[in-house]
Every structure is written in structure tokens, then in C-alpha cells.
Amino acid sequence: MSDLRPLSGFRSYSTPHLRIREVPWSNPVGADLREAQQAELDARYGTGHRDPNPPGAADSAVFLVAYERSTGQPLGCGGLHRTDSTTAEIKRVYVLPYARGAGVATAVLGALEDRAKQMGFAVLTAEAGSAQPDGRRFYENGGYRVVPNFGAYIMSDGSTCFAKTIGPVLPL
């Protein structure tokens, strides 16, 4: 676990049962969670569904992994993809099926929002596809509003895009 970095000044979204840690994009646990998410998306869409705007190490501003505190078992993840100096897109929010309904995704989203504020982002965006009604509800319940499709999703009829203002947009 030498690649786990403490979040300096980071308000912890850890609970008595959960610890959230920032890890590099290359972290093998994060890679395994992203692969599990991709397999689930492939099954939901019935094809090799691929993100038209996949994040990578170079543009990943933050990647978090949520661990069960008592066992150290990874339960979920999420990241931020830097869009521009004031906006980041939430990417790869995923929770293992057996851990769903326990607040893991909500804690990851809260941690991502807090970290984004620390980094000076004013707006967070997100996307959920047609086979992800749970994702759409998740963002709506988190205070995100539906916005016109953006970026790689502009021509995607199956995408629903969201945005949330989390801080002031500072003049450059």
C-alpha cells in the first residue's frame, strides 16, 4: 500500500466502516475496480460499451478508492477528469455489487466534491448512459441538474449529462 497518498487538508468521508484514500491512476486496486465496472457496463449494454471520453493517468486529476475499514477490502472508487481550469468531470464511480446500498457511492461522491473544491474547480459534470438509471438517480439525488450533453456526449442520444456548481468561478 505504499502508493496510497494522504489527502492533505482533505475532509475525510470515512465512516466507522469506510475509509477513502487517494491513489494514483496506476494503482492495481483501482485498475481492478475500473475493470469490474467495465464488465458490468458491457453486460448492461450487451456489447463492449466503451466510454467515448475515457480518462487516463495524464488527465486524471484525482482517483479515490473506498475501503472497508475493518477488513481493508476495496468496495468502490471514483475519479475526476480535468476538463478545464474550472471544470472537472466525475468518472468511474463504481461500487462492488455486494456493497451497494450502504452509502459507499455517496461517500465517494462527497469526497470527490470536497477534493474538487480543494483543487479550485467550480463545476463538476457527470454522465450516465441509457442502461444506467441508477446512475441518473444517483446524480439527481446528489444535487446535480440535467444539462445539455457536452463534450464527447453531444451526439449521444443515450447519454444524460449533469452538472453541479460547487464553488465560485474565479476570474483568470
Side-chain angles (χ1 to χ4, degrees):
M1 293 194 143
S2 63
D3 61 353
L4 295 178
R5 297 178 295 198
L7 302 174
S8 175
F10 179 72
R11 184 172 65 136
S12 174
Y13 277 83
S14 297
T15 69
H17 304 289
L18 187 66
R19 175 171 293 154
I20 298 174
R21 304 290 303 263
E22 184 172 344
V23 300
W25 181 259
S26 60
N27 176 276
V29 171
D32 287 348
L33 288 166
R34 291 190 305 273
E35 186 60 35
Q37 180 193 39
Q38 190 60 60
E40 183 173 325
L41 290 173
D42 289 348
R44 284 186 184 205
Y45 287 94
T47 63
H49 175 75
R50 297 294 171 204
D51 185 342
N53 189 27
D59 56 6
S60 177
V62 171
F63 195 75
L64 305 177
V65 174
Y67 296 88
E68 184 175 32
R69 185 179 293 275
S70 64
T71 65
Q73 178 70 32
L75 301 176
C77 62
L80 296 175
H81 167 108
R82 180 182 311 277
T83 304
D84 60 39
S85 63
T86 62
T87 308
E89 183 182 356
I90 297 168
K91 303 292 277 185
R92 302 296 184 254
V93 174
Y94 178 72
V95 176
L96 293 169
Y98 75 87
R100 293 179 186 163
V104 176
T106 300
V108 168
L109 181 62
L112 287 170
E113 289 176 355
D114 194 55
R115 191 70 173 102
K117 287 176 192 174
Q118 275 189 341
M119 297 174 77
F121 293 115
V123 177
L124 289 179
T125 61
E127 181 270 347
S130 60
Q132 299 167 286
D134 47 344
R136 292 193 303 273
R137 283 190 306 275
F138 174 69
Y139 289 118
E140 289 168 351
N141 290 339
Y144 288 74
R145 68 186 189 293
V146 175
V147 298
N149 287 4
F150 56 83
Y153 312 109
I154 287 175
M155 301 303 289
S156 177
D157 293 334
S159 290
T160 302
C161 290
F162 300 89
K164 182 177 183 179
T165 301
I166 60 167
V169 177
L170 303 174
L172 296 177

